């Protein structure tokens, strides 16, 4: 659901930035068709005695920045967001929507 929320953030901005032609209105079940994981772009980092595994992926909705998914200790998803941001959100949320 977090990847879909990330996509919807861009979809909701489409009118403002004239992206309508690039962003189809799709159901949540189809969002992964717009994601192309790049498995050679994985990073391992430490945060408060936890191992963070960061997987970057290309997305059709943001070809410049893409998306990152961060797993804590290899099992717990702790972040979905732009690949240019920090590995975790300050408020502890998995997906943080900037307004």
């Amino acid at each position: 659901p977090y990847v879909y929320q990330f996509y919807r953030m861009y979809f909701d901005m489409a009118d403002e930035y004239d992206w309508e032609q690039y962003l189809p209105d799709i159901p949540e079940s189809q969002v992964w068709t717009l994601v192309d994981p790049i498995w050679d772009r994985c990073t391992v980092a430490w945060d408060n005695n936890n191992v963070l595994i960061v997987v970057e992926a290309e997305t059709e909705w943001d070809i410049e920045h893409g998306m990152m998914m961060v797993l804590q200790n290899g099992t717990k998803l702790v972040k979905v967001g732009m690949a240019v941001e920090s590995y975790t959100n300050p408020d502890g949320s998995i997906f943080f929507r900037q307004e």
Side-chain angles (χ1 to χ4, degrees):
Y2 303 108
V3 173
Y4 187 67
Q5 289 173 7
F6 187 45
Y7 172 75
R8 291 303 299 189
M9 181 182 75
Y10 279 82
F11 185 83
D12 293 345
M13 293 186 305
D15 286 337
E16 183 179 346
Y17 295 102
D18 294 325
W19 296 337
E20 297 90 354
Q21 69 272 24
Y22 305 112
L23 299 175
D25 190 3
I26 59 170
E28 184 176 350
S29 63
Q30 294 178 5
V31 74
W32 285 100
T33 65
L34 304 177
V35 177
D36 183 25
I38 307 282
W39 297 109
D40 62 347
R41 287 195 192 165
C42 293
T43 303
V44 177
W46 287 92
D47 180 47
N48 296 327
N49 294 324
N50 293 300
V51 174
L52 299 178
I53 299 171
V54 183
V55 179
E56 293 185 35
E58 291 181 359
T59 65
E60 290 188 29
W61 61 84
D62 187 347
I63 59 173
E64 183 178 345
H65 300 108
M67 175 181 71
M68 73 176 174
M69 296 167 284
V70 182
L71 298 163
Q72 183 181 57
N73 298 323
T75 59
K76 180 182 177 186
L77 182 67
V78 294
K79 171 124 184 217
V80 172
M82 281 193 288
V84 296
E85 297 177 341
S86 63
Y87 292 152
T88 58
N89 289 320
D91 67 354
S93 64
I94 294 174
F95 176 76
F96 178 76
R97 183 177 182 131
Q98 295 178 332
E99 298 294 331

